[in-house]
Amino acid sequence: MSMTVTELPHKEQALFRSALKLYEASQYKKGLKVSDQILKKFPDHGETLSVKGMFLAHLERKEEGYELMERGLKINPQSSISWHVYGLVCRSDKKYAQAIKCYEEALKADSENMHILREVASLYVQMRQYSKAVECREKLVAMNPFFPSFWLGLATTHHMNGRYDLAIKVISAHESGNNQPPLDKYQISELSLYKNWLIELNGDYQQALDHLKEIRPQIVDITGWKEKKARLLLKADRKEAAATAFQDLLERNSENDDYITGYMECNGLDMKCDEDQDAVLEVIGTLQQQFPSSNRLRFLPLVYSTGDNFVVAAESLAKYALRKGIPSLFSSVRVLYADKVKGAALGTLIESCATQIRDTKRFSDSTDDEPASVLLWCNYYLAQHYDYYGDHERALTLIEEAIRSSPKTIEPYMIKARILKHAGDFRGARDTMDYARQQDVGDRYLTTKFIKYMLRVNEVDEAEKTYLLFVNEDAPHKIQEIVNMQATWYMNERGHAFRRMGDIGRALKHYHQAIGVFDTYQDDQYDFHQYSVRKVTLRSYIDILQWETTVYENPAYQTAARAAAECYLELADRKAAGNAFVPIEVEKDDKPLTRNGSAQQGQHNLAAGVGETKVYDVEKDPNGTKFVESDNLAEALKLAEHLESVAASNPDTHVLAFEVHLRMQKYFLVLKAINALKAIDATHPALPSMVVRLSQALDTDESFAAPLKVPLRAQLAKAFGAVDITTGTDESIDSVLAAAKSMLAMGNGDQAAALLVQTPEAKYAEGRTLLKLLEVKRLLAKSGADESTQAAFSAAAKTVFPLATCF
């Protein structure tokens, strides 16, 4: 028969309570000893076994800890404490769904436990189960109506559940209650603005305006209040008053796009409507007179004007920027290059400016000589202009001229490095960026760019040593510190470098580090479910909840996840071919490494800091062995399925899903991936190859039931008809790459090579980029093409990119 805590002798009850206090104080070893004291007398006490398991789980003995907790639950399955403890450990291990089940079981035995209700409410919000969270928080309010965070938590949950009316009622009830402790002035201000937001979301704009006027004396965030006022006046169709409100905001910040757009809407103009563009330009002109120093208002006429009007507006902006020496001029107007006419006009304009300065030292409409630096910035802009259009030789000539005119200016060296990178001279780009960095070693941006350029020539160790410049001198573990900095660009670039070097294990390790950053973002929101309502930062809290729902849409995550999945597929293919990848051992450097990267006597090194003996996660598996030895297809499937849920609009997601499902012989899912890709882009170059490969798999796989092949073939025939794998390969280099990859997958290396060697030809000129030709080079090597074929391709590629050293 099981024994509850209350049935323990008085001494053991006291020990049990002390064990729980030790857990709250994170003193797990002491808590473990106390648990053992109880278990010596009562070895089958279920709740103590569960608590001991909790301590073990937090002491990195998780398997043993879970075993003890499960044993404790078997002894006393009705124990609220045992289920609560199990839920705490599951929550700590990010097993949120399992933790919720544990808390729900705990509530069956102790439905009035406030701690459990608070924790499970937070878990419901974490898992976006808002209806259940509402139920929990309503119960908490009923149990303790004088606790402000319970009311505010309920209001935010109603908000996220789409019940703005109920959220307003909860806030009103909270404001009329006797709440302890009272809110400070900042919290009152935030709460008032949050309630006003709810009224706005509920669609009652006039009531929101009346409420906004009422709360004005309580508001600390004056700018936020003014923004609300302007937006609400516009929504209430009081455009004249709204225009005055937006005018007031523009006087505060004339660079804010939202203020400018709002002011336009007050004048009945839609900045995205072509018919309104003349009127928009007129209003912008008026605003420019009022705010002559606004860079945004100086740029906007270029977006909406055309023809001669565009040239006039562009000339005004260009001359201002050239005289001021603004290096970001090209970056600012680059968005306009999507319009070929505007891009060409900008290039012609700056060429004209440069010619005028060379010939007369002044612009045609000026009587005074311009500073010598104007020609520098003309050449600086034009170098980027020609680089954009792929004329790298002309771009290099211009940037060299800029460097000669001002050798100590750093920006031209950075552009030269970028041009060399685009031209295919990665080593020259790396060296040029290093020279730029040496001019100002304290500039973090320059150091970051240099690290990227080093990684692109596979200098992974040197890049790591340089990155250590960002790490504090006294950091206890420098490499772990790099991971903790969560620089996903560094993790992905490092992963790409190891992948190019053939070290798939270490590549996977870095891709998973990048993926882990976004998992951490997702997990970290848990702490805010109670913190934000306690601090009354409700508007920011709702923003972060909404942002968290899209966190995995970040390009850095998708890059890492796709690259990791592709690595797993490569590992699986090599195992299937009897050529399994063997993790490459990391060469250990015994030399100490100081902050400046030089080997000197000292205690700081890459493995650990001063006196550090703890083994960190980052060094437990330096070769990425655990990733290599995992179930590769299962891991690729996890990544593909997650991408399908968070990036379904990206065609690459469905191409990846196709590759994974095809290898796992899940042909209906393969067809689903094909149809999903077709729905996004019916002309995608990979579609013909995917259809052919599925058809071939159905023909050759005798283990797949014949009756199931019939509907699959019927659907393929209906949707695509007769398909040739070489469809589109005479016109598109993307089609060539897709067809060649499929041929390689089907074992037709010679056919793939025959297609690939044609890619430098003129017929592919429109889509023939450096990166695509480098992919061709990689696929040619994979196809088994002989050296003469590969050499012929490299020579042909050099005619397209004559400055390239990567072929």
PDB file of all heavy atoms in Angstrom, residues 656-682:
ATOM      1  N   LEU A 656      13.193  19.382 -50.923  1.00  0.00           N
ATOM      2  CA  LEU A 656      13.843  18.613 -49.873  1.00  0.00           C
ATOM      3  C   LEU A 656      12.937  17.481 -49.398  1.00  0.00           C
ATOM      4  O   LEU A 656      13.393  16.340 -49.219  1.00  0.00           O
ATOM      5  CB  LEU A 656      14.199  19.531 -48.699  1.00  0.00           C
ATOM      6  CG  LEU A 656      14.781  18.854 -47.459  1.00  0.00           C
ATOM      7  CD1 LEU A 656      16.116  18.200 -47.777  1.00  0.00           C
ATOM      8  CD2 LEU A 656      14.936  19.852 -46.315  1.00  0.00           C
ATOM      9  N   ALA A 657      11.652  17.778 -49.162  1.00  0.00           N
ATOM     10  CA  ALA A 657      10.714  16.744 -48.713  1.00  0.00           C
ATOM     11  C   ALA A 657      10.643  15.611 -49.734  1.00  0.00           C
ATOM     12  O   ALA A 657      10.586  14.427 -49.365  1.00  0.00           O
ATOM     13  CB  ALA A 657       9.334  17.352 -48.497  1.00  0.00           C
ATOM     14  N   PHE A 658      10.667  15.959 -51.006  1.00  0.00           N
ATOM     15  CA  PHE A 658      10.673  14.940 -52.063  1.00  0.00           C
ATOM     16  C   PHE A 658      11.875  14.008 -51.918  1.00  0.00           C
ATOM     17  O   PHE A 658      11.749  12.779 -51.966  1.00  0.00           O
ATOM     18  CB  PHE A 658      10.695  15.635 -53.436  1.00  0.00           C
ATOM     19  CG  PHE A 658      11.027  14.717 -54.587  1.00  0.00           C
ATOM     20  CD1 PHE A 658      10.025  14.010 -55.231  1.00  0.00           C
ATOM     21  CD2 PHE A 658      12.339  14.559 -55.027  1.00  0.00           C
ATOM     22  CE1 PHE A 658      10.325  13.156 -56.284  1.00  0.00           C
ATOM     23  CE2 PHE A 658      12.646  13.722 -56.069  1.00  0.00           C
ATOM     24  CZ  PHE A 658      11.640  13.016 -56.706  1.00  0.00           C
ATOM     25  N   GLU A 659      13.048  14.598 -51.726  1.00  0.00           N
ATOM     26  CA  GLU A 659      14.279  13.791 -51.639  1.00  0.00           C
ATOM     27  C   GLU A 659      14.229  12.853 -50.437  1.00  0.00           C
ATOM     28  O   GLU A 659      14.640  11.693 -50.524  1.00  0.00           O
ATOM     29  CB  GLU A 659      15.506  14.712 -51.538  1.00  0.00           C
ATOM     30  CG  GLU A 659      15.758  15.581 -52.756  1.00  0.00           C
ATOM     31  CD  GLU A 659      16.253  14.788 -53.953  1.00  0.00           C
ATOM     32  OE1 GLU A 659      16.592  13.591 -53.790  1.00  0.00           O
ATOM     33  OE2 GLU A 659      16.309  15.362 -55.053  1.00  0.00           O
ATOM     34  N   VAL A 660      13.724  13.343 -49.318  1.00  0.00           N
ATOM     35  CA  VAL A 660      13.675  12.521 -48.104  1.00  0.00           C
ATOM     36  C   VAL A 660      12.668  11.381 -48.267  1.00  0.00           C
ATOM     37  O   VAL A 660      12.970  10.208 -48.020  1.00  0.00           O
ATOM     38  CB  VAL A 660      13.317  13.391 -46.876  1.00  0.00           C
ATOM     39  CG1 VAL A 660      13.161  12.510 -45.634  1.00  0.00           C
ATOM     40  CG2 VAL A 660      14.391  14.446 -46.635  1.00  0.00           C
ATOM     41  N   HIS A 661      11.449  11.726 -48.687  1.00  0.00           N
ATOM     42  CA  HIS A 661      10.398  10.711 -48.800  1.00  0.00           C
ATOM     43  C   HIS A 661      10.723   9.678 -49.868  1.00  0.00           C
ATOM     44  O   HIS A 661      10.377   8.499 -49.713  1.00  0.00           O
ATOM     45  CB  HIS A 661       9.059  11.385 -49.099  1.00  0.00           C
ATOM     46  CG  HIS A 661       8.552  12.254 -47.995  1.00  0.00           C
ATOM     47  ND1 HIS A 661       8.561  11.847 -46.675  1.00  0.00           N
ATOM     48  CD2 HIS A 661       8.030  13.516 -47.996  1.00  0.00           C
ATOM     49  CE1 HIS A 661       8.063  12.809 -45.920  1.00  0.00           C
ATOM     50  NE2 HIS A 661       7.740  13.829 -46.686  1.00  0.00           N
ATOM     51  N   LEU A 662      11.395  10.089 -50.937  1.00  0.00           N
ATOM     52  CA  LEU A 662      11.740   9.128 -51.994  1.00  0.00           C
ATOM     53  C   LEU A 662      12.707   8.076 -51.463  1.00  0.00           C
ATOM     54  O   LEU A 662      12.570   6.885 -51.755  1.00  0.00           O
ATOM     55  CB  LEU A 662      12.353   9.868 -53.182  1.00  0.00           C
ATOM     56  CG  LEU A 662      12.610   9.014 -54.434  1.00  0.00           C
ATOM     57  CD1 LEU A 662      11.291   8.522 -55.021  1.00  0.00           C
ATOM     58  CD2 LEU A 662      13.388   9.804 -55.478  1.00  0.00           C
ATOM     59  N   ARG A 663      13.678   8.512 -50.681  1.00  0.00           N
ATOM     60  CA  ARG A 663      14.634   7.551 -50.127  1.00  0.00           C
ATOM     61  C   ARG A 663      13.979   6.620 -49.095  1.00  0.00           C
ATOM     62  O   ARG A 663      14.434   5.507 -48.881  1.00  0.00           O
ATOM     63  CB  ARG A 663      15.806   8.302 -49.492  1.00  0.00           C
ATOM     64  CG  ARG A 663      16.768   8.907 -50.522  1.00  0.00           C
ATOM     65  CD  ARG A 663      17.712   9.891 -49.853  1.00  0.00           C
ATOM     66  NE  ARG A 663      18.751  10.375 -50.750  1.00  0.00           N
ATOM     67  CZ  ARG A 663      18.575  11.328 -51.663  1.00  0.00           C
ATOM     68  NH1 ARG A 663      17.378  11.897 -51.798  1.00  0.00           N
ATOM     69  NH2 ARG A 663      19.571  11.722 -52.434  1.00  0.00           N
ATOM     70  N   MET A 664      12.927   7.128 -48.442  1.00  0.00           N
ATOM     71  CA  MET A 664      12.236   6.311 -47.444  1.00  0.00           C
ATOM     72  C   MET A 664      11.093   5.496 -48.067  1.00  0.00           C
ATOM     73  O   MET A 664      10.351   4.819 -47.363  1.00  0.00           O
ATOM     74  CB  MET A 664      11.701   7.206 -46.314  1.00  0.00           C
ATOM     75  CG  MET A 664      12.788   7.989 -45.606  1.00  0.00           C
ATOM     76  SD  MET A 664      12.201   8.958 -44.193  1.00  0.00           S
ATOM     77  CE  MET A 664      12.046   7.676 -42.957  1.00  0.00           C
ATOM     78  N   GLN A 665      10.958   5.621 -49.392  1.00  0.00           N
ATOM     79  CA  GLN A 665       9.963   4.858 -50.161  1.00  0.00           C
ATOM     80  C   GLN A 665       8.529   5.172 -49.716  1.00  0.00           C
ATOM     81  O   GLN A 665       7.644   4.326 -49.772  1.00  0.00           O
ATOM     82  CB  GLN A 665      10.241   3.354 -50.062  1.00  0.00           C
ATOM     83  CG  GLN A 665      11.618   2.975 -50.609  1.00  0.00           C
ATOM     84  CD  GLN A 665      11.972   1.521 -50.382  1.00  0.00           C
ATOM     85  OE1 GLN A 665      11.850   1.022 -49.257  1.00  0.00           O
ATOM     86  NE2 GLN A 665      12.390   0.842 -51.421  1.00  0.00           N
ATOM     87  N   LYS A 666       8.309   6.415 -49.306  1.00  0.00           N
ATOM     88  CA  LYS A 666       6.964   6.866 -48.949  1.00  0.00           C
ATOM     89  C   LYS A 666       6.401   7.615 -50.159  1.00  0.00           C
ATOM     90  O   LYS A 666       6.406   8.844 -50.223  1.00  0.00           O
ATOM     91  CB  LYS A 666       7.018   7.768 -47.713  1.00  0.00           C
ATOM     92  CG  LYS A 666       7.538   7.057 -46.463  1.00  0.00           C
ATOM     93  CD  LYS A 666       7.575   8.001 -45.269  1.00  0.00           C
ATOM     94  CE  LYS A 666       8.053   7.293 -44.018  1.00  0.00           C
ATOM     95  NZ  LYS A 666       8.083   8.203 -42.836  1.00  0.00           N
ATOM     96  N   TYR A 667       5.895   6.847 -51.146  1.00  0.00           N
ATOM     97  CA  TYR A 667       5.612   7.400 -52.459  1.00  0.00           C
ATOM     98  C   TYR A 667       4.403   8.338 -52.477  1.00  0.00           C
ATOM     99  O   TYR A 667       4.346   9.257 -53.287  1.00  0.00           O
ATOM    100  CB  TYR A 667       5.445   6.272 -53.476  1.00  0.00           C
ATOM    101  CG  TYR A 667       6.702   5.437 -53.609  1.00  0.00           C
ATOM    102  CD1 TYR A 667       6.686   4.063 -53.402  1.00  0.00           C
ATOM    103  CD2 TYR A 667       7.923   6.039 -53.905  1.00  0.00           C
ATOM    104  CE1 TYR A 667       7.844   3.296 -53.513  1.00  0.00           C
ATOM    105  CE2 TYR A 667       9.089   5.296 -54.010  1.00  0.00           C
ATOM    106  CZ  TYR A 667       9.043   3.918 -53.805  1.00  0.00           C
ATOM    107  OH  TYR A 667      10.194   3.175 -53.903  1.00  0.00           O
ATOM    108  N   PHE A 668       3.437   8.110 -51.603  1.00  0.00           N
ATOM    109  CA  PHE A 668       2.311   9.039 -51.556  1.00  0.00           C
ATOM    110  C   PHE A 668       2.760  10.402 -51.028  1.00  0.00           C
ATOM    111  O   PHE A 668       2.274  11.451 -51.475  1.00  0.00           O
ATOM    112  CB  PHE A 668       1.176   8.466 -50.702  1.00  0.00           C
ATOM    113  CG  PHE A 668       0.374   7.405 -51.410  1.00  0.00           C
ATOM    114  CD1 PHE A 668       0.640   6.055 -51.202  1.00  0.00           C
ATOM    115  CD2 PHE A 668      -0.619   7.745 -52.307  1.00  0.00           C
ATOM    116  CE1 PHE A 668      -0.081   5.079 -51.852  1.00  0.00           C
ATOM    117  CE2 PHE A 668      -1.351   6.775 -52.973  1.00  0.00           C
ATOM    118  CZ  PHE A 668      -1.087   5.432 -52.751  1.00  0.00           C
ATOM    119  N   LEU A 669       3.699  10.395 -50.073  1.00  0.00           N
ATOM    120  CA  LEU A 669       4.254  11.661 -49.582  1.00  0.00           C
ATOM    121  C   LEU A 669       5.147  12.307 -50.635  1.00  0.00           C
ATOM    122  O   LEU A 669       5.241  13.537 -50.714  1.00  0.00           O
ATOM    123  CB  LEU A 669       5.028  11.433 -48.287  1.00  0.00           C
ATOM    124  CG  LEU A 669       4.175  11.018 -47.084  1.00  0.00           C
ATOM    125  CD1 LEU A 669       5.057  10.748 -45.863  1.00  0.00           C
ATOM    126  CD2 LEU A 669       3.145  12.095 -46.757  1.00  0.00           C
ATOM    127  N   VAL A 670       5.801  11.491 -51.446  1.00  0.00           N
ATOM    128  CA  VAL A 670       6.593  12.012 -52.561  1.00  0.00           C
ATOM    129  C   VAL A 670       5.674  12.764 -53.522  1.00  0.00           C
ATOM    130  O   VAL A 670       5.977  13.887 -53.956  1.00  0.00           O
ATOM    131  CB  VAL A 670       7.326  10.873 -53.294  1.00  0.00           C
ATOM    132  CG1 VAL A 670       7.977  11.389 -54.575  1.00  0.00           C
ATOM    133  CG2 VAL A 670       8.380  10.253 -52.398  1.00  0.00           C
ATOM    134  N   LEU A 671       4.551  12.144 -53.859  1.00  0.00           N
ATOM    135  CA  LEU A 671       3.589  12.795 -54.749  1.00  0.00           C
ATOM    136  C   LEU A 671       3.038  14.070 -54.116  1.00  0.00           C
ATOM    137  O   LEU A 671       2.839  15.080 -54.803  1.00  0.00           O
ATOM    138  CB  LEU A 671       2.448  11.834 -55.071  1.00  0.00           C
ATOM    139  CG  LEU A 671       1.356  12.383 -56.002  1.00  0.00           C
ATOM    140  CD1 LEU A 671       1.955  12.752 -57.359  1.00  0.00           C
ATOM    141  CD2 LEU A 671       0.228  11.378 -56.160  1.00  0.00           C
ATOM    142  N   LYS A 672       2.808  14.036 -52.807  1.00  0.00           N
ATOM    143  CA  LYS A 672       2.331  15.231 -52.110  1.00  0.00           C
ATOM    144  C   LYS A 672       3.331  16.375 -52.251  1.00  0.00           C
ATOM    145  O   LYS A 672       2.944  17.532 -52.480  1.00  0.00           O
ATOM    146  CB  LYS A 672       2.105  14.906 -50.629  1.00  0.00           C
ATOM    147  CG  LYS A 672       1.632  16.090 -49.794  1.00  0.00           C
ATOM    148  CD  LYS A 672       1.535  15.718 -48.315  1.00  0.00           C
ATOM    149  CE  LYS A 672       1.189  16.941 -47.475  1.00  0.00           C
ATOM    150  NZ  LYS A 672       1.173  16.623 -46.017  1.00  0.00           N
ATOM    151  N   ALA A 673       4.627  16.067 -52.113  1.00  0.00           N
ATOM    152  CA  ALA A 673       5.660  17.097 -52.254  1.00  0.00           C
ATOM    153  C   ALA A 673       5.675  17.657 -53.676  1.00  0.00           C
ATOM    154  O   ALA A 673       5.824  18.869 -53.882  1.00  0.00           O
ATOM    155  CB  ALA A 673       7.027  16.524 -51.889  1.00  0.00           C
ATOM    156  N   ILE A 674       5.520  16.781 -54.666  1.00  0.00           N
ATOM    157  CA  ILE A 674       5.494  17.235 -56.060  1.00  0.00           C
ATOM    158  C   ILE A 674       4.310  18.164 -56.298  1.00  0.00           C
ATOM    159  O   ILE A 674       4.443  19.233 -56.904  1.00  0.00           O
ATOM    160  CB  ILE A 674       5.435  16.018 -57.016  1.00  0.00           C
ATOM    161  CG1 ILE A 674       6.733  15.213 -56.942  1.00  0.00           C
ATOM    162  CG2 ILE A 674       5.188  16.471 -58.452  1.00  0.00           C
ATOM    163  CD1 ILE A 674       6.704  13.914 -57.741  1.00  0.00           C
ATOM    164  N   ASN A 675       3.140  17.772 -55.812  1.00  0.00           N
ATOM    165  CA  ASN A 675       1.942  18.594 -56.003  1.00  0.00           C
ATOM    166  C   ASN A 675       2.053  19.932 -55.263  1.00  0.00           C
ATOM    167  O   ASN A 675       1.595  20.959 -55.761  1.00  0.00           O
ATOM    168  CB  ASN A 675       0.706  17.838 -55.526  1.00  0.00           C
ATOM    169  CG  ASN A 675       0.335  16.699 -56.463  1.00  0.00           C
ATOM    170  OD1 ASN A 675       0.636  16.741 -57.660  1.00  0.00           O
ATOM    171  ND2 ASN A 675      -0.309  15.664 -55.932  1.00  0.00           N
ATOM    172  N   ALA A 676       2.661  19.902 -54.070  1.00  0.00           N
ATOM    173  CA  ALA A 676       2.844  21.149 -53.311  1.00  0.00           C
ATOM    174  C   ALA A 676       3.760  22.105 -54.065  1.00  0.00           C
ATOM    175  O   ALA A 676       3.516  23.315 -54.118  1.00  0.00           O
ATOM    176  CB  ALA A 676       3.403  20.845 -51.924  1.00  0.00           C
ATOM    177  N   LEU A 677       4.825  21.566 -54.657  1.00  0.00           N
ATOM    178  CA  LEU A 677       5.748  22.399 -55.430  1.00  0.00           C
ATOM    179  C   LEU A 677       5.047  22.966 -56.662  1.00  0.00           C
ATOM    180  O   LEU A 677       5.208  24.141 -56.997  1.00  0.00           O
ATOM    181  CB  LEU A 677       6.973  21.577 -55.833  1.00  0.00           C
ATOM    182  CG  LEU A 677       8.023  22.314 -56.676  1.00  0.00           C
ATOM    183  CD1 LEU A 677       8.558  23.530 -55.928  1.00  0.00           C
ATOM    184  CD2 LEU A 677       9.166  21.378 -57.041  1.00  0.00           C
ATOM    185  N   LYS A 678       4.257  22.124 -57.318  1.00  0.00           N
ATOM    186  CA  LYS A 678       3.531  22.590 -58.511  1.00  0.00           C
ATOM    187  C   LYS A 678       2.561  23.704 -58.163  1.00  0.00           C
ATOM    188  O   LYS A 678       2.388  24.662 -58.931  1.00  0.00           O
ATOM    189  CB  LYS A 678       2.792  21.417 -59.157  1.00  0.00           C
ATOM    190  CG  LYS A 678       2.069  21.796 -60.444  1.00  0.00           C
ATOM    191  CD  LYS A 678       1.281  20.630 -61.016  1.00  0.00           C
ATOM    192  CE  LYS A 678       0.533  21.048 -62.270  1.00  0.00           C
ATOM    193  NZ  LYS A 678      -0.320  19.964 -62.811  1.00  0.00           N
ATOM    194  N   ALA A 679       1.906  23.591 -57.001  1.00  0.00           N
ATOM    195  CA  ALA A 679       0.954  24.620 -56.585  1.00  0.00           C
ATOM    196  C   ALA A 679       1.634  25.968 -56.359  1.00  0.00           C
ATOM    197  O   ALA A 679       1.037  27.022 -56.598  1.00  0.00           O
ATOM    198  CB  ALA A 679       0.246  24.180 -55.306  1.00  0.00           C
ATOM    199  N   ILE A 680       2.900  25.932 -55.916  1.00  0.00           N
ATOM    200  CA  ILE A 680       3.648  27.173 -55.680  1.00  0.00           C
ATOM    201  C   ILE A 680       4.203  27.724 -56.987  1.00  0.00           C
ATOM    202  O   ILE A 680       4.130  28.919 -57.270  1.00  0.00           O
ATOM    203  CB  ILE A 680       4.796  26.930 -54.679  1.00  0.00           C
ATOM    204  CG1 ILE A 680       4.231  26.523 -53.322  1.00  0.00           C
ATOM    205  CG2 ILE A 680       5.665  28.173 -54.537  1.00  0.00           C
ATOM    206  CD1 ILE A 680       5.291  26.072 -52.341  1.00  0.00           C
ATOM    207  N   ASP A 681       4.783  26.826 -57.803  1.00  0.00           N
ATOM    208  CA  ASP A 681       5.438  27.244 -59.052  1.00  0.00           C
ATOM    209  C   ASP A 681       5.345  26.104 -60.062  1.00  0.00           C
ATOM    210  O   ASP A 681       6.137  25.159 -60.027  1.00  0.00           O
ATOM    211  CB  ASP A 681       6.905  27.603 -58.775  1.00  0.00           C
ATOM    212  CG  ASP A 681       7.638  28.096 -60.020  1.00  0.00           C
ATOM    213  OD1 ASP A 681       6.980  28.212 -61.076  1.00  0.00           O
ATOM    214  OD2 ASP A 681       8.852  28.357 -59.940  1.00  0.00           O
ATOM    215  N   ALA A 682       4.375  26.217 -60.950  1.00  0.00           N
ATOM    216  CA  ALA A 682       4.143  25.146 -61.932  1.00  0.00           C
ATOM    217  C   ALA A 682       5.258  25.035 -62.957  1.00  0.00           C
ATOM    218  O   ALA A 682       5.347  24.040 -63.676  1.00  0.00           O
ATOM    219  CB  ALA A 682       2.816  25.378 -62.648  1.00  0.00           C
TER     220      ALA A 682
END
